[in-house]
Amino acid sequence: MIVVKFGGTSVGKPERMHSVKDIVMSVPGQKLVVLSAVSGTTNELIAISDEFSNGNIEGALDRTRKLYAQYVDFVQQLYATEEGKQKGTDVIDRYFQQIETLVKQPFYGKANKLLVAQGEIISTSLFYEYLNEIRVPAVFLSALDFMYLKDNGEPDLELISEKLRKILAGIDDKSVIVTQGYICRNSSGGVDNLKRGGSDYTATLIGAAIKAEEVQIWTDIDGMHNNDPRIVENTMPIAELSFEEAGELAYFGAKILHPTCILPAQQKNVPVRLKNTLNPAARGTLITSNKNPDAIKAIAVKDGITAIKIKSTRMILAYGFLRKIFEVFEKYQTSIDMITTSEVAVSLTIDEPTYLNEIIEELKPYGTIEVDKNQSIVCIVGDFVADKKGVGKDIFASLEDIPVRMISYGGSKNNISLLIDTIYKTEALKVLNKGLFNL
Ligand code: ADP
Ligand code: ASP
Ligand code: MG
C-alpha cells in the first residue's frame, strides 16, 4: 500500500483535482489517498468559528454563504455530467447545512473543531464523487473512524493501527481509498485535529500504522529546498534527506512538512517522498534512514520564539539547579527548544508563550530573569561529523554582521541552531545561502 497525500493547493481548483486523479492512477498498486481541505478553506472556517465564538452570528453566516458560493462554482467545473454535478451539490449542501446549524447554536467554547473539520470532509467527499463519476472504483473512509488521540493529545499509533487494519481488511485491493487529513478524535471521542498543516501527519501516521511501502506528500513545490523559498530567492530542491534531517527541518520551520510528521515514518522506517503536483516529473525529495555524512543540507527558520535567561550566582557548583528550572516548564507543559549554559546563567527558548508570565514568576526565586521576545531560531541541518573542521567557520563568517543571541551546536549530529532577533531573519537566511551554498 502506498499512502498519497495531497495538500490544499493540490486540491485547490477543480482542474487540480483532475490532475490529482491522474497522479493517483499512475501510482502502482493499492493506494490510500489523504486529502487536505481546499486551500483557504481551513482559514475561512477558523474565521467563521471565531466570529461565532465572538457572538457575531451574522458575520459567521455571511462568511459561510460566501464560502458556499465558491464551492458552487467548484462543483460546476469538477464534474462533467449532470449526475456528477447533482452529487457534488448534494455534498456541499449537506456539509454547509451542518456548518449553518453549528453556527446558529448557542455559543459553546472557543474553537469549534467540528466546524473546522468540515473542510477536509468536503474535499474528500467531492473527490470521492468525482472518482465515482468517472467510474474509478473508490471507497470513502472517515478518518474519524480510526484516527485517535491519547489522553495527552498525542496520536495513539497502536489504536490507529488496530482500527485501520480491521477496516482495510474489508476493502478490496482494487479500490482507491479516500480519507481526510488533519481531522481526528480525541480520547473522549470528540472531533479534534492534528493542528495546522496536520494532513502530512495523518499521512505518515497511516503509513506507520499499516507499515506502508511509501508515503508520498504531494504539494506545490518540487521537494524540500535548501532554504525557505518564501524568504530567499535562489533555493534548490534536495534529492535526499535522512529522517533526522527532515525531522529537524520540519520542526524548525520548513513549512512543507508538519513539525512532527517525520516521527511515525522514522519509527516504522517508512520512506517519505515529497513531490510536486504542479510538476509531477520533478524528482522531489526522498526521505529515508540513509545517511549522507559531512554535508550541510538546508536551513530553516522558526519565528515567534521567546528567550529566557536565568542568572544566578547560586548556579555555581549547584547540582539540581537545572532540574528545578526545568520542572517549572514541565508544570506549564511548555517545551524548551534551545538551551545554553554558562557558569552563572542558563538561557533557553520556548515557542509557546501562553504561560510565560506564570513561568517567569516561578523562576524568580532562582535568580534574575531576562526575557527577549520576537526571536527566531535559524536551524542549519545536515549530517555533521564531530571531527569535521570548518563548519562553524563558514557559518560565522557568513553571519559576521548579524548579532547572534544563542548558539546550540553538538546537541545532535544534524543540527546547529542559532537564535537571532527576528528583524535579522531575512538577512541571515540570505547571507547563509550565499556563504554555505553559494546561491
Ligand atoms: P500543502 O498545502 O501542500 O500542505 P504547504 O503550504 O503546507 O503545502 O507547504 C508547501 C510550502 O512550504 C511551499 O509552497 C513553500 O513555500 C513552503 N516552504 C517553506 N520552507 C520550505 C522548504 N525548505 N522547502 C520547500 N518548501 C518550503
Ligand atoms: N487543512 C489543514 C490546514 O490548513 C490541514 C492541512 O492542510 O494539512 O492546516
Ligand atoms: Mg502543509
Side-chain angles (χ1 to χ4, degrees):
M1 174 96 74
I2 294 188
V3 180
V4 239
K5 178 258 167 177
F6 294 88
T9 356
S10 301
V11 294
K13 292 186 179 148
E15 63 270 25
R16 298 247 170 93
M17 261 201 195
H18 295 157
S19 314
V20 165
K21 180 266 300 171
D22 293 337
I23 292 168
V24 169
M25 299 315 287
S26 71
V27 172
Q30 196 181 7
K31 39 244 163 188
L32 195 156
V33 179
V34 176
L35 300 185
S36 292
V38 166
S39 57
T41 295
T42 306
N43 286 347
E44 203 46 37
L45 290 173
I46 290 171
I48 291 168
S49 171
D50 286 347
E51 298 262 25
F52 170 41
S53 302
N54 297 333
N56 184 2
I57 306 299
E58 257 326 297
L61 286 171
D62 188 46
R63 278 181 181 275
T64 308
R65 283 181 213 115
K66 287 188 179 132
L67 188 62
Y68 174 78
Q70 290 174 20
Y71 277 97
V72 170
D73 289 344
F74 198 102
V75 162
Q76 291 308 313
Q77 292 165 48
L78 179 63
Y79 304 97
T81 63
E82 280 315 311
E83 195 193 339
K85 288 184 209 282
Q86 188 53 52
K87 289 265 170 64
T89 306
D90 292 345
V91 164
I92 57 171
D93 284 356
R94 184 177 334 129
Y95 296 114
F96 274 85
Q97 186 59 49
Q98 168 128 7
I99 294 172
E100 287 215 8
T101 312
L102 285 170
V103 165
K104 283 179 182 159
Q105 271 180 22
F107 167 82
Y108 71 91
K110 194 143 173 56
N112 192 329
K113 305 245 172 87
L114 179 58
L115 198 157
V116 177
Q118 303 306 312
E120 269 70 12
I121 297 176
I122 293 172
S123 65
T124 47
S125 303
L126 291 176
F127 186 66
Y128 169 71
E129 291 300 349
Y130 171 56
L131 294 180
N132 283 341
E133 180 185 52
I134 57 169
R135 308 256 177 272
V136 171
V139 172
F140 184 86
L141 185 58
S142 172
L144 301 178
D145 289 342
F146 64 87
M147 193 51 73
Y148 271 83
L149 301 179
K150 293 189 279 199
D151 285 343
N152 64 5
E154 297 294 322
D156 190 337
L157 191 54
E158 259 178 49
L159 184 62
I160 295 167
S161 179
E162 188 192 307
K163 290 199 174 276
L164 200 50
R165 281 174 190 275
K166 258 190 216 146
I167 297 172
L168 294 181
I171 297 175
D172 81 275
D173 55 9
K174 304 250 169 344
S175 299
V176 174
I177 303 162
V178 182
T179 196
Q180 304 80 39
Y182 182 57
I183 66 173
C184 60
R185 283 192 195 278
N186 55 36
S187 56
S188 336
V191 173
D192 212 313
N193 62 58
L194 299 170
K195 310 219 169 76
R196 296 308 305 270
S199 299
D200 301 331
Y201 204 14
T202 303
T204 55
L205 284 164
I206 293 176
I210 59 170
K211 194 86 182 62
E213 200 177 312
E214 182 171 292
V215 173
Q216 298 186 351
I217 293 182
W218 290 79
T219 178
D220 59 357
I221 190 164
D222 52 352
M224 179 73 81
H225 279 220
N226 73 303
N227 205 333
D228 195 320
R230 296 166 298 177
I231 302 171
V232 178
E233 242 171 61
N234 299 320
T235 61
M236 55 179 187
I238 308 163
E240 283 181 42
L241 284 171
S242 66
F243 287 125
E244 287 83 359
E245 292 163 342
E248 299 270 9
L249 287 168
Y251 186 73
F252 286 104
K255 192 200 170 213
I256 184 171
L257 289 173
H258 174 278
T260 52
C261 79
I262 289 300
L263 205 65
Q266 181 173 15
Q267 278 169 352
K268 302 288 175 188
N269 199 17
V270 177
V272 178
R273 200 183 285 277
L274 309 181
K275 292 281 288 178
N276 189 353
T277 311
L278 311 176
N279 180 13
R283 183 170 173 191
T285 301
L286 180 63
I287 303 163
T288 65
S289 57
N290 291 347
K291 301 200 168 47
N292 169 15
D294 197 18
I296 293 184
K297 302 270 177 53
I299 304 165
V301 65
K302 185 170 167 183
D303 295 334
I305 304 293
T306 303
I308 303 168
K309 184 191 275 180
I310 305 124
K311 262 167 101 175
S312 166
T313 42
R314 276 175 297 148
M315 197 176 151
I316 304 170
L317 297 178
Y319 52 80
F321 182 82
L322 286 177
R323 178 176 57 76
K324 288 181 198 135
I325 302 272
F326 290 158
E327 270 170 2
V328 174
F329 290 86
E330 191 183 347
K331 177 171 170 193
Y332 291 100
Q333 296 186 339
T334 299
S335 68
I336 298 168
D337 281 333
M338 276 177 85
I339 312 169
T340 55
T341 60
S342 83
E343 189 64 359
V344 291
V346 52
S347 277
L348 36 83
T349 69
I350 57 172
D351 65 359
E352 173 46 68
T354 309
Y355 297 109
L356 182 62
N357 290 339
E358 289 84 346
I359 289 172
I360 293 170
E361 277 313 306
E362 294 214 18
L363 288 175
K364 276 184 182 164
Y366 300 108
T368 321
I369 315 297
E370 282 173 31
V371 175
D372 288 321
K373 294 182 181 166
N374 301 321
Q375 305 288 301
S376 294
I377 294 178
V378 174
C379 172
I380 298 146
V381 165
D383 201 337
F384 309 114
V385 264
D387 55 4
K388 162 95 165 93
K389 296 176 190 152
V391 175
K393 176 174 152 282
D394 291 344
I395 293 172
F396 290 104
S398 310
L399 292 173
E400 61 180 347
D401 293 324
I402 293 178
V404 176
R405 163 85 168 71
M406 275 169 76
I407 304 163
S408 176
Y409 179 30
S412 88
K413 270 177 59 194
N414 301 105
N415 169 337
I416 298 173
S417 297
L418 310 159
L419 187 74
I420 57 171
D421 192 303
T422 303
I423 54 172
Y424 298 111
K425 172 179 84 169
T426 304
E427 194 188 341
L429 292 197
K430 284 184 178 161
V431 293
L432 285 169
N433 214 39
K434 181 101 197 82
L436 302 181
F437 301 102
N438 207 17
L439 285 171

